[in-house]
Amino acid sequence: MEDEVDRLVAAWRRERPDLDVEPLEVLSRVSRLARHLDRARRLAFTEHALEPWEFDVLTSLRRAGAPYQLSPGQLLTQTLVTSGTMTNRIDRLTKKGLVERLPDPNDRRGVLVRLTGEGQDRADQALAGLLDQERALLAELSRAQRAELAGLLRQLTAPFDNVPGPG
């Protein structure tokens, strides 16, 4: 079965036989798959009236376990956005009734962000919808192939995920 990347690679091999274009065979497919995944994610989130960034914040809180709360700093670490961006996101989610701010009992100046019942319901429903979309993307692979692919991708991504941050 031929795909668009096969055609792209063949064209580059014809036009630039002096270059080793083998990395394109893997990474162009990863890039194209990422675009398809982004579309599937947006569809799943739209069905639950959420933006991708809202899903990221709500599911970070949901994964934290009961009582489903984190500090803004912990949310920053999990969602990889700036402090100002996170403050704006928390404000917007609070106005929608999906999260609430609470005083941090361990820090008089600090706050905790807690998922509301509605926020938990929306996160759970959107996650179920996302998983349906993602299963459809992986439908052509057997369980063993999915496990093998996950392992190979882990090898590629782990060095990026395990880089120490600024001191």
Side-chain angles (χ1 to χ4, degrees):
M1 174 183 347
E2 187 177 73
D3 68 359
E4 187 59 29
V5 174
D6 289 321
R7 291 182 281 279
L8 177 144
V9 168
W12 278 122
R13 284 188 172 136
R14 181 187 68 242
E15 295 298 315
R16 291 296 310 268
D18 57 311
L19 294 178
D20 175 11
V21 295
E22 184 182 14
L24 295 176
E25 293 187 73
V26 173
L27 299 177
S28 289
R29 285 186 174 94
V30 169
S31 177
R32 292 177 65 81
L33 183 60
R35 281 184 248 150
H36 290 295
L37 178 58
D38 186 54
R39 284 187 199 138
R41 293 173 75 95
R42 288 184 183 280
L43 177 62
F45 303 152
T46 298
E47 288 175 358
H48 300 283
L50 290 175
E51 295 292 326
W53 67 265
E54 291 173 313
F55 178 83
D56 289 344
V57 174
L58 296 178
T59 55
S60 292
L61 293 166
R62 181 67 172 94
R63 284 191 314 269
Y68 310 113
Q69 64 188 27
L70 294 170
S71 71
Q74 290 169 310
L75 285 169
L76 288 175
T77 300
Q78 291 194 21
T79 60
L80 301 175
V81 298
T82 65
S83 177
T85 297
M86 182 53 66
T87 298
N88 180 275
R89 289 179 176 185
I90 293 167
D91 289 345
R92 290 170 67 184
L93 289 168
T94 299
K95 286 178 186 168
K96 287 182 155 190
L98 301 175
V99 302
E100 59 186 346
R101 281 188 173 92
L102 303 169
D104 185 339
N106 300 317
D107 178 356
R108 284 188 290 147
R109 295 176 298 166
V111 298
L112 294 173
V113 180
R114 180 183 293 168
L115 200 56
T116 64
E118 182 182 349
Q120 182 178 340
D121 289 345
R122 294 273 281 286
D124 287 348
Q125 291 168 9
L127 177 62
L130 172 62
L131 291 172
D132 288 342
Q133 293 288 328
E134 290 184 349
R135 268 188 216 89
L137 285 173
L138 296 171
E140 295 297 316
L141 301 178
S142 69
R143 183 178 297 262
Q145 288 171 319
R146 291 190 307 266
E148 180 182 10
L149 181 57
L152 292 170
L153 291 171
R154 183 180 304 108
Q155 263 185 277
L156 289 177
T157 59
F160 295 102
D161 292 341
N162 294 310
V163 173

